[in-house]
């Protein structure tokens, strides 16, 4: 009996200990489950190519449910460009404890967005067999910031390079265009030669537009506006962009379009970007519709514009369309769905139109196409239409002019151009020499009536410092700034820097003659 009693007591104690042990295990499991489910990291277990376990943080990052994450091979969630790398690391991790434990790769979440994960992985035994325990952090924001900083650095370098190229190229174009202008003057009796020279002149001016577009793309910049007809601009840009393409444009441009105040090169760039996107959206070919009309914007339209008159132009393709989940991001800098795209085309276009006081809107439907609407404020100014003979004419003048430019070919050309117009010309290769010549002439019987200053002189005093020095010597100095950097702030706001006029390189004899006439005549050009 004593032994039986002892056995019963032992059994009862064992049962109590077992219950206590089971309760402790359950409490321990609950604690661990609480920790795992509330961790800031995604915690996963991969075995046999399948995720055997995923916590709620993993589901939140991926936007899949835990059941979805554990229902198919984990490689299916990996970005297509990283599948091979991740598969190799997984195989190495199972067979080699020395395999890399820290690495990064991209996944595609449930709505199709790529996300960067930073992984810390370790080999473990799960249900008696090898598996990989994974701790993952979503570092997409950090990677985006790093990439953004890198892109900014690249863009700054590109901006410096583009500016230098554009400056040098515009100097060359100035020499070509100026000599064409002079040759045209000397060949008035040769009709065929004059026609060919006129075509060469137009080609040079088109090349100038390309350098301006390059600067706008690389550096941005305030628009240099003038009164223009938007219809001609978008028609020419669309035809140019679709040369050699299997997509053709159809135009519907109102005959009575209001004028607009725009930077023609920048609006051409916007049109180019949108037309090229339309072309890419229709790889099998088709028609892109380009239209322009007058509209009155009211509050009822719900557009973020002041009430008033606008010119609206529309570019509509019949391509693949833009998915709903990304249409709100298409104007973000560097966002692109193209493998070789920069993500700058639409962002630059949006910035340009906003700088013109307008907006860009977009609507799209899958497999039916995309339509962009651009609204630009209408102008009250009229375009001064000139005849061909008036276009070829120029204004002569009188006076003594000092030209400062670091390029010998520009100094030589400008001297001949202005001498032909009737001016007495002297030249200087940099600002220091220009200041000395101006000061010396100011105290003589034959002072300079006007100076033309090149904005940029490598290794010497440029136009910005020179005008300051000249203003100290003679507060009433008449000066014109000239530069191949068409987007420089001084070019777009020359008056506040002490200049009375601006002439961008390259320029024709007509442009420089009219600018000189206005400035010497007492007005700003």
């Amino acid at each position: 009996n004593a032994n039986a009693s002892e056995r019963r007591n032992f059994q009862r104690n064992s049962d109590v200990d077992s219950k206590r042990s089971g309760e402790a295990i359950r409490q321990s499991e609950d604690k661990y489950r609480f920790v795992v489910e509330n961790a800031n990291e995604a915690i996963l277990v991969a075995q046999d190519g399948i995720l055997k376990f995923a916590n709620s943080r993993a589901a939140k990052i991926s936007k899949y449910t835990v059941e979805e994450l554990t229902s198919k091979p984990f490689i299916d969630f990996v970005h297509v460009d990283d599948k091979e790398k991740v598969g190799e690391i997984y195989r190495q991790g199972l067979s080699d404890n020395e395999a890399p434990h820290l690495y990064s790769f991209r996944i595609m979440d449930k709505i199709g967005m790529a996300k960067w994960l930073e992984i810390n992985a370790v080999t473990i035994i799960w249900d008696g067999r090898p598996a990989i325990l994974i701790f993952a952090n979503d570092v997409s924001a950090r990677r985006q910031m790093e990439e953004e900083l890198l892109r900014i650095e690249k863009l700054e370098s590109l901006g410096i390079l583009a500016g230098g190229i554009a400056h040098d190229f515009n100097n060359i174009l100035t020499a070509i265009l100026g000599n064409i202008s002079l040759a045209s003057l000397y060949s008035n009796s040769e009709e065929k030669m004059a026609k060919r020279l006129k075509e060469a002149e137009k080609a040079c001016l088109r090349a100038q537009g390309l350098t301006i577009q390059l600067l706008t793309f690389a550096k941005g910049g305030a628009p240099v506006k003038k009164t223009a007809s938007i219809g001609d601009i978008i028609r020419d840009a669309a035809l140019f962009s679709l040369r050699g393409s299997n997509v053709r444009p159809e135009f519907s441009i109102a005959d009575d379009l209001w004028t607009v105040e725009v930077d023609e090169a920048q609006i051409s760039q916007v049109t180019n970007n949108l037309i090229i996107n339309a072309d890419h959206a229709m790889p099998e070919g088709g028609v892109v519709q380009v239209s322009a009309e007058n509209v009155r914007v009211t509050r009822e339209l719900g557009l973020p514009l002041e009430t008033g008159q606008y010119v609206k132009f529309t570019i509509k393709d019949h391509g693949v369309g833009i998915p709903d989940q990304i249409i709100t991001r298409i104007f973000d800098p560097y966002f692109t769905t193209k493998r070789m795209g920069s993500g700058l085309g639409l962002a630059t276009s949006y910035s340009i139109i906003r700088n013109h006081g307008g907006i860009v809107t977009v609507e799209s439907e899958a497999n039916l196409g995309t339509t962009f609407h651009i609204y630009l404020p209408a102008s009250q100014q009229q375009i001064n239409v000139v005849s061909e003979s008036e276009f070829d004419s120029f204004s002569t003048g009188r006076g003594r002019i000092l030209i400062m430019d670091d390029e010998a070919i520009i100094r030589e050309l400008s001297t001949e151009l202005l001498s032909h117009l009737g001016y007495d010309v002297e030249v200087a290769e940099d600002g220091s020499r220009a200041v000395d010549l101006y000061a010396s002439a100011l105290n003589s019987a034959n002072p300079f009536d006007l100076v033309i200053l090149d904005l940029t002189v490598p290794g010497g005093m440029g136009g910005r410092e020179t005008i300051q020095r000249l203003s100290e010597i003679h507060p009433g100095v008449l000066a014109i700034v000239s530069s191949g950097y068409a987007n420089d702030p001084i070019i777009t706001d020359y008056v506040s820097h002490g200049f009375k006029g601006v002439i961008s390189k390259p320029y024709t004899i007509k442009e420089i003659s009219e600018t000189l006439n206005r400035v010497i005549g007492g007005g700003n050009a």
Side-chain angles (χ1 to χ4, degrees):
N1 291 335
N3 290 336
S5 176
E6 288 178 0
R7 285 196 296 272
R8 285 195 296 273
N9 288 336
F10 178 79
Q11 185 63 43
R12 280 197 298 269
N13 290 336
S14 296
D15 291 343
V16 170
D17 289 342
S18 178
K19 288 180 180 178
R20 288 175 178 172
S21 177
E23 182 64 24
I25 291 172
R26 282 193 295 273
Q27 289 180 0
S28 177
E29 288 177 346
D30 289 342
K31 288 178 182 178
Y32 279 115
R33 185 178 297 108
F34 179 82
V35 170
V36 169
E37 289 302 322
N38 288 277
N40 286 326
E41 292 178 306
I43 301 176
L44 310 106
V45 175
Q47 188 182 63
D48 301 327
I50 303 289
L51 292 176
K52 298 292 186 177
F53 173 83
N55 68 348
S56 57
R57 180 60 179 166
K60 186 175 181 180
I61 291 174
S62 67
K63 294 185 170 58
Y64 288 99
T65 65
V66 170
E67 290 73 20
E68 288 172 327
L69 287 173
T70 55
S71 65
K72 58 182 180 178
F74 69 79
I75 203 72
D76 290 354
F77 302 104
V78 178
H79 190 285
V80 63
D81 292 340
D82 294 341
K83 287 181 184 291
E84 184 177 348
K85 177 182 77 172
V86 172
E88 181 61 28
I89 291 174
Y90 173 71
R91 288 188 292 273
Q92 288 180 5
L94 290 174
S95 60
D96 181 5
N97 286 334
E98 299 301 319
H101 297 303
L102 290 171
Y103 55 95
S104 298
F105 64 85
R106 289 162 293 179
I107 64 167
M108 298 300 295
D109 70 15
K110 193 172 182 178
I111 65 171
M113 300 299 296
K115 290 187 175 179
W116 276 99
L117 298 184
E118 188 173 75
I119 300 297
N120 186 0
V122 60
T123 304
I124 63 170
I125 298 299
W126 182 273
D127 289 339
R129 292 185 298 111
I132 304 293
L133 174 63
I134 301 166
F135 300 90
N137 281 307
D138 182 356
V139 293
S140 302
R142 190 187 77 195
R143 289 291 294 249
Q144 184 176 1
M145 180 67 73
E146 292 171 351
E147 291 171 2
E148 187 81 4
L149 291 172
L150 181 60
R151 288 186 182 111
I152 289 172
E153 291 177 0
K154 288 181 178 179
L155 273 182
E156 288 176 349
S157 299
L158 177 60
I160 294 170
L161 176 63
I165 292 172
H167 175 265
D168 293 343
F169 190 47
N170 279 335
N171 274 338
I172 296 169
L173 284 176
T174 301
I176 297 171
L177 193 56
N179 280 302
I180 288 173
S181 296
L182 284 172
S184 298
L185 296 175
Y186 303 149
S187 63
N188 282 337
S189 59
E190 297 289 341
E191 183 178 345
K192 290 184 178 181
M193 183 184 296
K195 183 177 180 181
R196 297 273 65 81
L197 289 171
K198 179 60 64 181
E199 291 301 315
E201 182 179 80
K202 290 179 181 178
C204 286
L205 293 174
R206 180 134 200 158
Q208 179 195 27
L210 292 176
T211 62
I212 293 172
Q213 289 187 43
L214 176 63
L215 283 169
T216 302
F217 172 79
K219 298 171 64 177
V224 182
K225 300 178 183 178
K226 69 178 183 179
T227 307
S229 168
I230 198 73
D232 294 337
I233 298 172
I234 61 177
R235 181 185 285 107
D236 290 346
L239 290 170
F240 180 78
S241 299
L242 292 175
R243 284 180 181 174
S245 170
N246 59 355
V247 174
R248 63 180 177 85
E250 281 187 357
F251 299 101
S252 177
I253 298 174
D255 294 330
D256 61 345
L257 277 184
W258 295 320
T259 60
V260 287
E261 297 289 328
V262 296
D263 184 314
E264 293 190 16
Q266 290 191 2
I267 298 302
S268 291
Q269 184 180 1
V270 170
T271 308
N272 288 339
N273 290 339
L274 298 181
I275 291 291
I276 289 171
N277 279 354
D279 184 33
H280 290 169
M282 298 186 289
E284 303 302 320
V287 173
V288 57
Q289 294 168 297
V290 181
S291 61
E293 60 181 329
N294 299 325
V295 296
R296 179 167 178 78
V297 171
T298 61
R299 290 183 179 180
E300 287 71 24
L301 293 178
L303 297 172
L305 291 171
E306 294 183 5
T307 298
Q309 295 178 325
Y310 289 79
V311 174
K312 170 187 173 184
F313 74 91
T314 300
I315 295 175
K316 179 178 182 179
D317 67 56
H318 302 276
V320 296
I322 302 172
D324 291 340
Q325 62 265 32
I326 68 170
I327 197 167
T328 58
R329 302 185 60 203
I330 61 173
F331 295 115
D332 292 349
Y334 315 117
F335 178 78
T336 181
T337 58
K338 302 173 185 176
R339 182 175 292 273
M340 300 302 293
S342 67
L344 286 172
L346 289 179
T348 302
S349 299
Y350 183 86
S351 177
I352 287 172
I353 297 303
R354 292 300 295 172
N355 285 340
H356 280 78
I359 61 165
V360 185
T361 66
V362 60
E363 53 196 51
S364 187
E365 192 169 347
N367 299 317
L368 292 179
T370 301
T371 303
F372 286 92
H373 301 289
I374 295 89
Y375 295 79
L376 292 169
S379 172
Q380 302 300 316
Q381 303 296 319
Q382 297 298 315
I383 301 173
N384 183 24
V385 180
V386 297
S387 66
E388 188 70 21
S389 60
E390 288 177 312
F391 179 81
D392 291 333
S393 66
F394 51 86
S395 304
T396 58
R398 296 179 60 187
R400 191 165 185 233
I401 296 178
L402 173 62
I403 298 174
M404 186 275 284
D405 198 291
D406 64 303
E407 292 280 351
I409 191 170
I410 303 298
R411 297 196 298 270
E412 180 183 345
L413 172 67
S414 299
T415 299
E416 186 168 357
L417 278 175
L418 299 189
S419 297
H420 188 88
L421 293 173
Y423 296 99
D424 179 23
V425 183
E426 193 159 349
V427 297
E429 67 278 5
D430 60 27
S432 298
R433 176 62 175 161
V435 171
D436 291 342
L437 289 174
Y438 192 89
S440 177
L442 188 63
N443 298 319
S444 71
N446 193 20
F448 289 106
D449 297 288
L450 180 139
V451 295
I452 300 175
L453 302 177
D454 186 20
L455 188 58
T456 306
V457 177
M461 185 191 299
R464 183 196 300 265
E465 186 178 350
T466 304
I467 188 61
Q468 294 174 351
R469 296 276 298 275
L470 293 178
S471 296
E472 294 170 1
I473 297 171
H474 181 205
V477 61
L478 294 181
I480 293 173
V481 61
S482 177
S483 178
Y485 290 102
N487 283 16
D488 191 284
I490 293 181
I491 295 294
T492 57
D493 189 22
Y494 60 87
V495 174
S496 64
H497 290 86
F499 293 98
K500 298 296 188 291
V502 60
I503 182 76
S504 295
K505 298 176 181 177
Y507 47 77
T508 64
I509 190 170
K510 183 177 187 298
E511 290 171 333
I512 196 169
S513 68
E514 289 181 349
T515 302
L516 288 172
N517 218 272
R518 285 195 295 268
V519 174
I520 293 177
N524 287 344

